[in-house]
Amino acid sequence: MDFTHSEEYQLFVGLHDTMINDELVKEAELEKMIIGFFEKQKVDFTIFKCEGGYLYGDKNYVLENALCINIIGVSESNMFHLAKAVSMFMNQESVLLVRNRIKSIIC
């Protein structure tokens, strides 16, 4: 078996709107919007729902629904720009971008 060394990116996107610190749109609609965004960008991805906490700049701490998006095959520079675009698209104060070095094989 020949595993390929590559990098996986995980993008964590909270679903609270920056302005009101609450969800403006239902979770299913937001997920559909994110899927549409990545489809337009022609990026291979996997998406799943999760929950997390976030400390806003004004020290307000919230627990919120979130989406985690796994992406493989995108350069670091492109991934950074993609993360910024998602943050703006979803009206987020910030999104969390994680990079993992992986070995993968398509079976």
Side-chain angles (χ1 to χ4, degrees):
M1 287 187 267
D2 292 328
F3 282 84
T4 302
H5 295 268
S6 60
E7 294 180 337
E8 168 200 39
Y9 293 93
Q10 292 180 310
L11 185 58
F12 294 87
V13 182
L15 302 182
H16 279 198
D17 182 271
T18 300
M19 298 299 171
I20 64 167
N21 294 341
D22 201 0
E23 290 182 23
L24 282 176
V25 183
K26 296 208 181 290
E27 188 176 333
E29 289 180 59
L30 290 171
E31 185 176 1
K32 187 176 178 179
M33 288 168 57
I34 286 283
I35 289 170
F37 176 85
F38 278 93
E39 187 176 30
K40 285 179 187 171
Q41 299 293 322
K42 304 290 186 222
V43 173
D44 297 332
F45 71 97
T46 302
I47 189 170
F48 57 92
K49 298 173 193 165
C50 54
E51 293 181 22
Y54 180 73
L55 181 62
Y56 282 94
D58 65 2
K59 305 298 182 203
N60 183 30
Y61 186 79
V62 297
L63 296 174
E64 65 181 318
N65 294 320
L67 296 174
C68 178
I69 306 154
N70 288 3
I71 301 163
I72 297 174
V74 175
S75 73
E76 184 172 336
S77 174
N78 286 345
M79 193 59 229
F80 181 78
H81 292 297
L82 198 58
K84 285 290 196 184
V86 168
S87 180
M88 289 173 45
F89 180 73
M90 296 298 292
N91 198 28
Q92 294 294 298
E93 183 173 86
S94 63
V95 296
L96 175 63
L97 178 61
V98 177
R99 181 182 73 181
N100 299 302
R101 297 181 192 274
I102 62 168
K103 292 180 186 178
S104 63
I105 189 169
I106 296 176
C107 302

